[in-house]
Amino acid sequence: MRIFTSDYIFPVVSDPIRDGYVMTDDEGYVLKMGAARELNPPALSVAEYFPGAIVPGFVNAHCHIELSHLRGAFKKGSGMSGFINQINALRESVDRNGRINALEAEMRSLYRQGVSAMADISNCDESFECKSHSPMYTRTFIEVFGTDPAETESIIEGARELAREAEEMDLDAAPTPHSCYTMCPELLQAASAAGLKSGFLSYHSQESGQEEELIRYGTGELAENYKGRGLPTPPVTGGSALKYFIDNLRKVLRSPIKGHVLLVHNVVIDEESIDYAKEWLRSPYFAVCPLSNIFIHNQLPPLDLMREKGLKITIGTDSLSSNDSLCIVDEMKCIQDNFPSIPFAEILKWATANGAEFLAKEDLLGSFEAGKKPGIVNIEGFDVQGMKLSEKSSSVRIL
Ligand SMILES: [Zn+2]
């Protein structure tokens, strides 16, 4: 048994406890929590105090761990089209061994900082071995793209083959579509149908104005980029990119669409798109990756609107091709700095319980409740009076 005390305990699914404790059994399962003054003297004598705050392990809702070798390689503020050019040029700038070493180091660092689960995007098998040995729970989304309808079947078969390889290593994995701009409608539909058989989908949605312009009007930098490379662009619909995605789902799946659908980025999501998603998707989740959005687009998602609409928001780091580090506390700080009216406890819920729910792991992860094993994380440098992160805040796993 271990007893952890701190200036604040955040169970996430119940109110924060000032000068609180959380007690676990030897395997890390939560037994109970409460105010430290309720502990009897023998319990108090073995309690371990951590200044700041204690929170459950984080859930990183969006990462591409296999791009970890690209730290520091990309120019900032390139916009979506410039970003695509950089990834095409640099993805294989390091050899396979170097790529695997880089992702292994990042997986260790994520776990040490307190990440207990992750929704991770894979285009190949390079991260499988590492994920299969990691103490972190991961769900792998085998991401596909392709603009030639004739290749749909072979691309899906390739993704299924990769998913089988991952499953043989005891990983949860299934195909997933990348985005509206990298895919023909045929592949978008086939990948969505294949992915949702697993019950989960993760999809890059409304990341930039360029994406929105491409689908609405067929114009803009992204449209020019694809045309410049002699590639076809998706149909022009006059509606939002999110509506386009959902309409494609509706062509191959019965409505309302079942399964956990994670829409990632949402930088240019608007009220009409949100209402459409709520109408047609039974369990939509909305990942935000604020530091990545600033890195590429210098823009952030409309979190006030997303909160008003009662969306289930989750937090992701995205990859080191569009972030200086993979750090959940830094993502939360970015949100707090740019949206100071959002309480820390709410941002924390996005970084923990909501992600766990997306992964259907809420019985075990994402909050402190008796019987759960979410991992225990100390946020050092926490502003106890203001009940928020400070400039100096960082996190470390203590169990
Ligand atoms: Zn991504």
Side-chain angles (χ1 to χ4, degrees):
M1 184 194 71
R2 283 179 77 180
I3 300 169
F4 305 89
T5 66
S6 187
D7 302 295
Y8 265 115
I9 304 281
F10 286 88
V12 177
V13 288
S14 52
D15 290 339
I17 308 164
R18 182 76 215 245
D19 296 321
Y21 77 90
V22 53
M23 187 187 292
T24 70
D25 68 12
D26 291 337
E27 287 169 61
Y29 287 91
V30 173
L31 296 171
K32 58 179 180 174
M33 64 241 133
R37 64 176 182 277
E38 291 160 9
L39 290 168
N40 57 31
L44 261 182
S45 69
V46 296
E48 304 162 63
Y49 169 69
F50 294 87
I54 284 180
V55 303
F58 302 122
V59 178
N60 184 353
H62 185 69
C63 189
H64 304 242
I65 202 72
E66 69 187 22
L67 299 180
S68 294
H69 59 291
L70 294 173
R71 184 199 291 269
F74 282 40
K75 231 172 58 215
K76 295 183 180 176
S78 65
M80 201 63 240
S81 164
F83 182 80
I84 290 170
N85 293 340
Q86 297 187 80
I87 195 112
N88 287 338
L90 294 169
R91 186 170 176 127
E92 299 202 341
S93 55
V94 172
D95 69 10
R96 184 180 162 95
N97 260 348
R99 296 196 293 266
I100 289 176
N101 287 341
L103 75 86
E104 283 175 345
E106 291 305 322
M107 285 287 285
R108 283 194 297 273
S109 148
L110 283 164
Y111 186 71
R112 268 200 309 270
Q113 69 175 255
V115 176
S116 291
M118 184 158 84
D120 188 51
I121 308 288
S122 290
N123 302 108
C124 66
D125 65 1
E126 287 173 4
S127 65
F128 293 177
E129 181 78 36
C130 178
K131 283 190 272 194
S132 75
H133 294 119
S134 172
M136 238 190 281
Y137 170 75
T138 53
R139 172 167 280 280
T140 297
F141 291 91
I142 310 283
E143 179 187 80
V144 297
F145 39 79
T147 52
D148 180 0
E151 290 176 1
T152 294
E153 216 167 293
S154 63
I155 292 172
I156 294 291
E157 195 33 58
R160 284 213 182 96
E161 184 55 47
L162 268 177
R164 277 193 290 272
E165 193 186 324
E167 279 163 358
E168 274 164 23
M169 300 167 92
D170 276 334
L171 295 171
D172 287 331
T176 213
H178 172 256
S179 71
C180 67
Y181 50 92
T182 50
M183 310 175 77
C184 57
E186 292 82 355
L187 181 59
L188 178 55
Q189 291 164 19
S192 302
L196 274 174
K197 276 192 191 142
S198 72
F200 301 86
L201 215 64
S202 175
Y203 176 78
H204 294 81
S205 180
Q206 296 186 308
E207 183 175 351
S208 69
Q210 293 182 10
E211 174 184 333
E212 202 64 5
E213 200 184 341
L214 171 75
I215 298 292
R216 273 189 196 274
Y217 312 114
T219 57
E221 264 183 67
L222 207 45
E224 292 312 315
N225 181 307
Y226 273 75
K227 287 177 197 158
R229 288 188 284 149
L231 296 171
T233 49
V236 178
T237 66
S240 78
L242 181 50
K243 180 174 186 298
Y244 167 76
F245 171 54
I246 292 169
D247 287 344
N248 274 286
L249 295 184
R250 290 173 60 204
K251 285 186 184 147
V252 285
L253 297 157
R254 195 179 302 156
S255 305
I257 289 133
K258 281 193 226 150
H260 289 194
V261 176
L262 184 68
L263 300 165
V264 180
H265 290 306
N266 309 295
V267 175
V268 294
I269 199 167
D270 59 5
E271 188 162 9
E272 197 187 340
S273 309
I274 291 172
D275 291 342
Y276 204 71
K278 286 168 88 171
E279 183 179 354
W280 295 106
L281 303 177
R282 194 165 280 177
S283 309
Y285 293 81
F286 297 79
V288 296
C289 307
L291 290 170
S292 168
N293 299 150
I294 289 176
F295 190 113
I296 303 178
H297 315 285
N298 206 15
Q299 207 180 338
L300 287 170
L303 285 172
D304 292 326
L305 172 69
M306 293 168 74
R307 293 171 73 217
E308 250 168 59
K309 287 284 182 180
L311 303 186
K312 290 219 166 111
I313 299 170
T314 65
I315 295 178
T317 57
D318 214 348
S319 80
L320 283 171
S321 66
S322 60
N323 208 336
D324 296 326
S325 65
L326 304 181
C327 174
I328 294 290
V329 165
D330 284 351
E331 303 293 339
M332 292 199 289
K333 264 189 224 169
C334 175
I335 293 171
Q336 189 184 271
D337 290 348
N338 287 280
F339 299 88
S341 65
I342 307 178
F344 169 75
E346 184 177 340
I347 301 172
L348 179 66
K349 188 179 181 196
W350 303 350
T352 53
N354 284 4
E357 194 188 304
F358 165 65
L359 292 169
K361 290 288 173 192
E362 70 272 24
D363 288 348
L364 202 61
L365 301 174
S367 60
F368 292 145
E369 275 186 301
K372 293 188 181 180
K373 191 186 178 184
I376 297 192
V377 179
N378 178 213
I379 297 186
E380 298 165 327
F382 189 71
D383 173 357
V384 175
Q385 299 313 320
M387 215 182 168
K388 59 184 172 96
L389 298 171
S390 76
E391 202 38 57
K392 287 180 292 184
S393 293
S394 63
S395 66
V396 60
R397 174 181 296 275
I398 51 178
L399 187 71

